[in-house]
């Protein structure tokens, strides 16, 4: 019983510490608000870590590439609400990994995001 209790408490502690991780510095021009910046940067950091086998994220820089007007786009939401295409570049271990990020409003106050790694 003690061992199970220890494992449970260790798991809770690990989850708590993951939630306290330092935020990834994001700079540049983006249409994303603070919460969306945090969500997208965490997703891209995970992808960049897998690609580079590096754990240390230094920063993320953003750049708006294109604003797609209402009626254009590839998804029902982007046709109805428009979308924004951006480049987010993750810097880690002396490498820069660029991603294309498409931000699309969901019509209810939220935003969908789609990421894909750009070829270098």
């Amino acid at each position: 019983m003690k061992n199970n209790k220890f494992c449970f408490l260790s798991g809770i502690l690990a989850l708590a510490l993951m939630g306290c991780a330092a935020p990834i510095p994001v700079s540049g021009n983006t249409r994303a608000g603070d919460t969306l910046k945090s969500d997208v940067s965490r997703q891209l950091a995970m992808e960049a870590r897998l690609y580079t086998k590096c754990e240390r994220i230094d920063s993320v820089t953003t750049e708006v590439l294109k604003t797609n007007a209402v009626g254009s786009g590839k998804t029902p939401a982007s046709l109805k609400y428009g979308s924004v295409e951006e480049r987010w570049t993750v810097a880690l271990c002396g490498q820069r990994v660029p991603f294309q990020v498409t931000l699309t409003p969901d019509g209810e106050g939220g935003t969908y995001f789609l990421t894909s790694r750009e070829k270098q």
Side-chain angles (χ1 to χ4, degrees):
M1 179 70 176
K2 280 187 178 182
N3 196 22
N4 287 343
K5 192 175 192 179
F6 176 75
C7 289
F8 176 75
L9 292 175
S10 295
I12 295 294
L13 179 61
L15 288 173
L17 290 174
M18 285 190 326
C20 295
I24 299 167
V26 178
S27 63
N29 188 17
T30 179
R31 301 285 172 80
D34 290 340
T35 300
L36 187 56
K37 273 196 256 187
S38 176
D39 292 347
V40 174
S41 64
R42 280 185 294 157
Q43 172 70 29
L44 296 181
M46 182 179 62
E47 291 181 40
R49 284 180 184 120
L50 289 172
Y51 175 69
T52 62
K53 308 289 190 257
C54 171
E55 288 297 316
R56 188 189 79 244
I57 304 296
D58 297 318
S59 65
V60 175
T61 55
T62 62
E63 165 188 11
V64 175
L65 300 175
K66 181 180 176 185
T67 301
N68 299 310
V70 171
S72 64
K74 300 174 186 167
T75 66
S78 64
L79 288 169
K80 189 170 183 179
Y81 303 110
S83 63
V84 177
E85 296 175 27
E86 301 184 352
R87 176 176 296 116
W88 291 46
T89 304
V90 180
L92 67 167
C93 297
Q95 299 180 59
R96 299 179 62 73
V97 182
F99 292 88
Q100 178 149 353
V101 176
T102 303
L103 307 172
T104 306
D106 69 0
E108 297 179 15
T111 304
Y112 298 112
F113 66 90
L114 176 66
T115 65
S116 61
R117 190 170 58 87
E118 291 184 350
K119 301 291 183 200
Q120 293 179 306

